[in-house]
Amino acid sequence: MKILLVDGTIIGTKTGVILDQVKDYIEEINKEYKLEIISLSNYEHQFVDGRPFENYNDDMKLLVSKFDQADGFIIASPIFQGSIPGVLKNTFDFLHPKSMRYKPVSIVANGGTYQHHLAIENQLKPILDYFRCLVTPNYVYTHKNHFDENNVIIDSDVHDRLRELARVFVQYAEMSKNLCKEAIDAH
């Protein structure tokens, strides 16, 4: 299975640190998955404005291709001003509604206040529900106090929750194998 770990911002490093840790925990459980971390900061983004697909740049087309080819996703998002970054929303806006259908998704996020976890519930989960993703019930939200001055995760509870997220994600990924195939075969 191809699993895409998406760092949904163009600034900062904490979401990338969290993704690296989740990647390690998934590999401990299932070494056969092909895991790829992509950072939206490595792509030249264009606003999705309804123009024909072929009129977007190669980076935008590559992002769509990566999402289409993936069998599952770990979405990492910082929370800025109580919301997900515009670049992540713009990426979702460019995807076909069926590109993530019945594929497993886990969410990790980081914010400056403990209340910002609500952006996951109120913004990110509804988007993923629209795509009909198999969203795992246990997202992990981190706060700046969970990291040291070098952005290393120092909170043992966060590590435990990330391990559990990885375990549940792998179970959803195994469950999704037939669902994804059935969705493709039905079209």
Side-chain angles (χ1 to χ4, degrees):
M1 292 189 83
K2 290 182 183 179
I3 308 301
L4 198 61
L5 294 93
V6 181
D7 187 347
T9 186
I10 57 173
I11 62 170
T13 60
K14 286 184 178 74
T15 52
V17 168
I18 300 166
L19 280 179
D20 286 335
Q21 191 63 68
V22 171
K23 181 178 183 280
D24 290 346
Y25 290 143
I26 291 173
E27 287 173 337
E28 287 176 11
I29 298 166
N30 190 323
K31 295 185 184 326
E32 295 180 17
Y33 289 173
K34 183 177 178 185
L35 304 171
E36 178 184 2
I37 294 178
I38 65 166
S39 177
L40 295 185
S41 64
N42 293 330
Y43 295 83
E44 182 183 332
H45 297 271
Q46 293 177 293
F47 284 112
V48 175
D49 57 13
R51 73 186 97 159
F53 180 81
E54 60 273 2
N55 291 345
Y56 288 92
N57 68 29
D58 289 341
D59 277 1
M60 294 295 287
K61 293 175 188 173
L62 179 60
L63 275 173
V64 169
S65 174
K66 287 184 177 290
F67 273 83
D68 285 346
Q69 293 173 20
D71 298 307
F73 308 90
I74 307 293
I75 304 293
S77 178
I79 306 301
F80 298 133
Q81 308 294 1
S83 182
I84 64 173
V87 69
L88 180 58
K89 177 63 168 85
N90 191 65
T91 301
F92 286 136
D93 288 346
F94 201 46
L95 300 176
H96 188 279
K98 294 181 181 177
S99 64
M100 297 176 74
R101 184 168 290 180
Y102 304 134
K103 295 178 182 180
V105 178
S106 283
I107 302 166
V108 295
N110 181 67
T113 73
Y114 287 108
Q115 293 78 14
H116 279 158
H117 74 90
L118 294 173
I120 297 169
E121 292 290 338
N122 298 325
Q123 295 175 10
L124 196 49
K125 286 176 85 175
I127 292 168
L128 298 173
D129 286 345
Y130 167 78
F131 283 109
R132 298 185 194 169
C133 299
L134 300 176
V135 181
T136 62
N138 57 331
Y139 61 83
V140 176
Y141 178 80
T142 62
H143 180 271
K144 63 183 177 181
N145 294 343
H146 296 138
F147 298 83
D148 69 11
E149 62 278 353
N150 297 314
N151 285 337
V152 174
I153 301 170
I154 57 171
D155 188 280
S156 61
D157 184 55
V158 169
H159 280 284
D160 290 344
R161 289 185 287 134
L162 290 172
R163 276 188 206 94
E164 179 68 4
L165 179 133
R167 186 185 71 76
V168 172
F169 176 81
V170 168
Q171 292 297 318
Y172 270 56
E174 292 303 313
M175 177 183 65
S176 74
K177 287 179 179 178
N178 289 331
L179 288 173
C180 291
K181 182 182 180 323
E182 290 169 8
I184 292 168
D185 290 346
H187 298 308

